[in-house]
Amino acid sequence: MHKLSRTNRDKLQQYVSITGASEKSALQALKASDWQIEAAFDVFYSQPQPKSNDPYSDMILAEGVSVLCSDLQVEPQDIVTLVLSWHMNAATACEFSREEFVGGLQALGVDSIGKLQEKLAFMRSELKDEQKFYDIYSFAFGWAKEKGQKSLALDTAIGMWQLLFAEKEWPLVNHWCDFLQDRHNKAISKDTWAQLLEFARTVNPMLSNYDAEGAWPYLIDEFVEYLYDKSVVDK
Amino acid sequence: MEHKIIDFEQGWEKIQIGITALKRKSECLHVPELLAQHTIDIYTIVYRMCTQKSPNDFSWPLYQKYCETMEEHMNSTVLPALNEKRGDEYMLLRELVERWSNHKTFVKSVSFLFLYLDRFFIVRRSLLSLEEVGLGCFRDLVYNKLQCKIREAVLALVDREREGEDIDRKLMKQVLEFYVEIGEERYEEDFESSMLKDTASYYSCKASSWIQEGSIDDYLLKFEECLKKEKERVTHYLHFSSEPNLVKVVEHEFFFVHENQLLEKTHSEKQISFGSIAKIFKQHVTEEGGEDNKATNDQVASAKEQVLIRKVIELHEKYMVIECFQNHSTLFYKALKRAFERLCSKAVAGSDELLATFCDKIILKRWGSEELSDEDIEKVVTFLAYISDEKYLFAEFYRKKLTLRLLLNRGVSDDHERSILTKLKQQHGGQFTYGENEIGLTVTLLTTGIWPSYKTFGINLPSEMVKCVEVFKEFYEKKTKGRKLTWIHSLGTCHVNGLFDQKPIELIVSTHQAVVLLLFNTRDKLSYNDIQTQLNVGHEDLVWLLHSLSCCKYKILTKEPATETVSRTDVFEFNSKFTARMCRIKIPLRHVDDRKKFIENVDKDRRYAIDAAIVKIMKGRKALGHQQLVSECVGQLSRMFKPDIKAIKIRIDDLITRDYLERDMENPNMFRYLA
């Protein structure tokens, strides 16, 4: 190995500790950028990361997410984690890929845990915005379902509904969940998921403007009948 | 760039020039179009007048001016022009149609100039849009004043057509479209109700004179002809919603009003009037059928059903006789048909199954004693026409019974089965009996797809049976290539020799029962669990088998404890004390596939049919509203069966999940086909 000057050796160590690269590649990178460490970082970060065989190697997984939550001082089941995931456009619950995480933070204009924590109040307020709520609700389906599945497991769906409708009041939410457990007991399709919000938004709790001839998914029609049967609502 | 403030008078003057030009244009086609540049200029003026700061924001005054302009145009030009023509029906209606169409263009072009108002000012204050104001003016200031005249003109033309005159149907269509355009309720309230009244008085007059003049036959012919003409009128120019009401009115005038007269007349002419008699007859039949039902209600359930069917068939026969001395009695037929349809659907739930069972019974019974007469079959087949909706179910039931007859060799003859099938086919079309004909009559190898599916469950066969099965399999595979052999043990029968203490008895049992019994060859006592592990059968099925052997009439096995039901903790023992009068007995195994399960199977078949229909429709249409999709789907399937709307909805949901369809992003009532 060449003898390096003290400053260059420091730069090499700094480079290795930050990028996690091997000493050899660090040396190459620094030489290529003429020992300008900033320039070498630029090159490092602009290059695509070498692909590893393990698809999870570059991801924050369940453990990481729980560390993140405790750093942010929020419960993992706090709805704000859903809003955060929505900002990051995360594909699956309890996981962030590097791209998702970095992209989301950039979009939020956040570069430290403190700043992210400051954003939480804003994120909670976003749920009160009708359009954003709609987006977050739609996003939640794909996010919460198991990878490779088309529909959302019933337990998960019910959990998500209770979480979401705690934000946007819908008086029938508990009846809906009871109904599903009682009569349906199967996974929830994407269409039913989407149409339920539409139903909650457009049909009043007395069901006076419900149109039985409309294109509501079958499950929602059944739900309405269930409400009449149980005389929750008078016909 | 700073604009000079436009004051109201100055701006309005310029706008008015444009409006006048458009007005002239709407009156006469030879005036050149308003130049695009000019239009844009006016639009800009409006825009600036609306966006100037208060007190120079002229949005409200402009809106008012727009309304005034429209009103003024109506009062000064359109109304007088129509008033001039009110003397002549044709002239008035033509003028109306033309004025209305011109006015629509005029409103469109003027509201374009004021577009900025529409976009912001009106939305914010939730006022009526420019178009609503413009078209509303026509309705309020022109139509409302001439309403009676217009209606009279239309009705006069309708009456003239009824009298045989050729009228301008295109014009009529346009006028009636106009009604719908200014509001559907206008059509119903202002026009339809009077039209129905007019129709009623027209026919009441006609009917009373026709009934005096000609014979009943002529009267009926006249009725049919008028009805046809009225229906034609609906297709040519009336709104389609009027048809049922119109038909009702005509029927009412012809029959209800003159019922007594009709009856008197039939009396005096000594002829039979089909119309009125048919009605009375229908009532009578329904009542009598209803009584039959009540009477049989007290009897034992299974017997009752058979009796009921026989009674209904007898009833039918009784009334079919009457029909012999009548020549052309379509009305009569219809009444009979309706009466029986009602009877079947109302009184006899599951008449499909009953009828199939009935067929089965008569076929079996007649075989023993005498030849099966064609008449019997004929009766059943004709009767089937009345249970139209459930025909499909009947077919399934019939197929099942037929195959059982064939498989269990109940002394059935080929020719008879074939003759019944031919009859069914004649009456109900080829599709109905598809499959049945293909069933080989003596072969016990069943082709999947043609034969109904049977409940099969795996069971460990004893080594003796396995050997036989292997031998046959080898033979079969040698003879035919590429065919899969599936054993349906539930239909098999075995003869087992039971060496009981008193005398040996031959037991006729199903394959499954035999397998259970063979276990007791090696050991006398077996627990439920032993049996289950040796046979590897599901709990439900095993309970069913053991029940037939230990809890029913013939107790081949004794059970500890000796209860009426089988549970997992029971122990079974070979009953060596068992004996019977005969030396050969059949141990019945209740058929598990009850009606509920059976209907489930049919529903499953229907699911595919519904899926196919939906996909076919959507493939053609690409995008379709929910209501329309459902109704087209019902239409397509109506030849086979009457699909449940719920079932269609479930299939739509499922097709969405399977990515054949998607819901439109904007309109949740709309579906799109995904290629």
Side-chain angles (χ1 to χ4, degrees), chain B residues 259 277-289 335 339 342:
Chain B
E259 198 162 12
I277 287 204
K279 216 177 293 151
I280 297 159
F281 170 74
K282 187 173 97 187
Q283 232 167 7
H284 177 68
V285 172
T286 321
E287 271 164 25
E288 195 169 333
R342 194 176 307 163

Side-chain angles (χ1 to χ4, degrees), chain A residues 141 189-196 215 217, chain B residues 653 656-657 663 671:
Chain A
F141 182 84
S189 76
K190 188 170 182 185
D191 186 54
T192 307
W193 176 266
Q195 290 302 304
L196 185 78
Chain B
D653 282 358
I656 293 176
T657 321
R663 210 181 268 276
F671 298 111

Side-chain angles (χ1 to χ4, degrees), chain A residues 23-61:
Chain A
E23 221 166 273
K24 197 177 162 197
S25 57
L27 194 62
Q28 266 175 358
L30 284 165
K31 272 186 180 168
S33 50
D34 213 9
W35 294 97
Q36 298 294 309
I37 193 160
E38 299 294 328
F41 280 141
D42 275 353
V43 172
F44 180 84
Y45 285 114
S46 62
Q47 270 167 1
Q49 296 301 310
K51 278 215 175 117
S52 151
N53 286 332
D54 179 8
Y56 293 110
S57 67
D58 213 16
M59 293 186 82
I60 302 176
L61 298 173

